[in-house]
Amino acid sequence: MTNNSVDPTAIKFEGHGSYSDPTTRRLTGWTAHGGFRIDVPFMTEIAPNLWHGGVETGLILPPFIDHVLSLYKWEEYTVNHPLKSKLTVEMYDATDQDLEGVEELAHWVNQARKTGNVLVHCQAGLNRSSLVIAKALVLNGDVKDGIEATRLIREARSEACLCNPAFEYWVSKL
C-alpha cells in the first residue's frame, strides 16, 4: 500500500531560492527516468492559454493564471488571487500508473482554456503534466498526433519531458 502523504516517485531538486516569478525561477536536478539533467523554469507556456510546469510549496502563482490542474498533491502554489477553477488529482510518475482518467483531465484542461490561462503542473513539469497536456493538445487540434505533441512539449519545455517510458509510449499512440 502506498503512503499517501509522500510521493514515492518524487525527484530530489537541488537548491531552492526565493519565491520569485515561476516563469523565470529555475528548477534543477536529475530525472528518475533516464537520468536526464533538468534545468527548466517552474512554468513554461506551451500553447495559447496553456502553461506547463512544476511546483514548490510557497511559490507564488502568477495572477495571469485562471485555472490550475495539479497532478501533485504533496506541494502547492500560494494563490493570492481568485481562481476560476482548481482541480487536484493524485498521480504518480510511475511506469505502472493507471492512465484511465487522462482523457477526462485533458477535456477539463481544454474547457478551462476557453475562459483563461490554465496551468497544468506535477512536481517538475516533466511526465504527469506532459501526459495530460499531450492529450489536451491532440483533442483540441493544436497538433495532429502524440508524436507531434511530444515534439512540441519537448521543444517548449525540456527534452526530459515524457522520459517516463510508459507515458511516452502511451502518448505516441495518440
Side-chain angles (χ1 to χ4, degrees):
M1 178 170 268
T2 303
N3 177 352
N4 288 332
S5 65
V6 176
D7 176 10
T9 64
I11 295 172
K12 301 266 187 270
F13 294 135
E14 300 169 359
H16 297 282
S18 65
Y19 296 111
S20 58
D21 181 357
T23 63
T24 59
R25 180 154 179 257
R26 312 272 316 162
L27 185 153
T28 59
W30 295 90
T31 65
H33 303 281
F36 287 91
R37 174 83 176 132
I38 55 170
D39 183 359
V40 297
F42 270 86
M43 289 175 53
T44 307
E45 188 172 25
I46 298 296
N49 288 352
L50 183 56
W51 288 79
H52 186 184
V55 67
E56 181 179 76
T57 294
L59 192 59
I60 298 170
L61 187 70
F64 63 81
I65 296 296
D66 301 299
H67 307 272
V68 174
L69 171 56
S70 173
L71 303 170
Y72 195 73
K73 72 173 196 168
W74 299 274
E75 295 193 62
E76 61 183 24
Y77 279 90
T78 296
V79 180
N80 295 325
H81 64 282
L83 291 173
K84 292 179 180 175
S85 64
K86 181 180 179 189
L87 178 62
T88 301
V89 176
E90 183 175 318
M91 185 182 276
Y92 295 98
D93 183 11
T95 56
D96 63 348
Q97 171 66 45
D98 179 7
L99 304 179
E100 187 175 312
V102 172
E103 184 165 344
E104 183 179 337
L105 294 173
H107 282 295
W108 185 93
V109 168
N110 285 333
Q111 281 301 115
R113 286 175 70 190
K114 293 176 182 177
T115 64
N117 284 304
V118 180
L119 170 62
V120 179
H121 79 79
C122 53
Q123 183 195 16
L126 298 175
N127 286 310
R128 293 166 266 206
S129 53
S130 292
L131 185 73
V132 173
I133 286 171
K135 183 66 176 180
L137 290 168
V138 171
L139 287 174
N140 199 53
D142 294 297
V143 295
K144 68 177 188 247
D145 58 26
I147 301 297
E148 191 176 319
T150 299
R151 187 176 312 113
L152 172 66
I153 290 166
R154 286 179 174 162
E155 285 174 3
R157 180 130 180 93
S158 171
E159 283 297 316
C161 288
L162 293 167
C163 62
N164 177 326
F167 290 10
E168 180 181 32
Y169 177 78
W170 188 88
V171 169
S172 75
K173 300 300 178 190
L174 297 177

